[in-house]
Amino acid sequence: MPRRATRALEEVLLEEPDHDGALRALAALYEEQARYADAAALWQRLGKARDDDTRTREHHLLIAAAQAAITAGDHDGAKAALRAAQKHGESPHYMAASAELAAARGNPGGAKEQLLRALVAEPGLARELVPLLAGAERALAPADSDAQIDAVVLADLAEVQALTGPTLPILLARAELARD
């Protein structure tokens, strides 16, 4: 059913390229089908047609496209999607996806750098990003013990905290690591 609906909406847009309802419905279908880059392109069209700012939505859809490409092993596609997303800014979501791509490409140093940038930009992501940070550190120093890795991550979090102030998510992440 979604494929027929998609085709029908695409045909409507061939006849009426700026049909607001068809653009919105097709963008939603594309999102549902994990066709994030296509959805972002439709939101861009919607924004131009209605003189609305859809950059934030486009940005997050392009990042979703990059993450889907990483999962599929298409690192070049992911890089292209991240480049397109970067035109709308470098959000913490962008930085985390960039870290994911760096790790997938075997660049744990780049992953660590992007994860630290994301934590500084949004300390509230600590619960999700600190385990990835530990993974990047483990890839950088595979011979180190878990205690040594934890010590390095604790030092990294102290640096983040020095830049952001004593935010609760960073404090909790540090306390959890220190406890282990």
Side-chain angles (χ1 to χ4, degrees), residues 95-109:
M95 294 170 203
S98 294
E100 189 179 344
L101 178 59
R105 286 192 154 176
N107 179 1

Side-chain angles (χ1 to χ4, degrees), residues 23-88:
L23 285 167
R24 286 175 172 278
L26 187 57
L29 281 172
Y30 283 167
E31 285 183 56
E32 188 178 299
Q33 297 167 5
R35 293 174 60 184
Y36 303 113
D38 293 332
L42 289 180
W43 278 103
Q44 184 178 43
R45 281 175 59 184
L46 269 165
K48 285 180 182 175
R50 295 180 15 215
D51 199 29
D52 282 347
D53 186 0
T54 59
R55 290 177 297 178
T56 299
R57 186 160 190 140
E58 292 169 45
H59 175 77
H60 289 292
L61 286 167
L62 289 166
I63 292 168
Q67 289 172 314
I70 293 166
T71 300
D74 179 10
H75 299 162
D76 292 336
K79 184 176 180 178
L82 284 172
R83 233 187 244 129
Q86 188 179 30
K87 292 176 184 172
H88 302 296

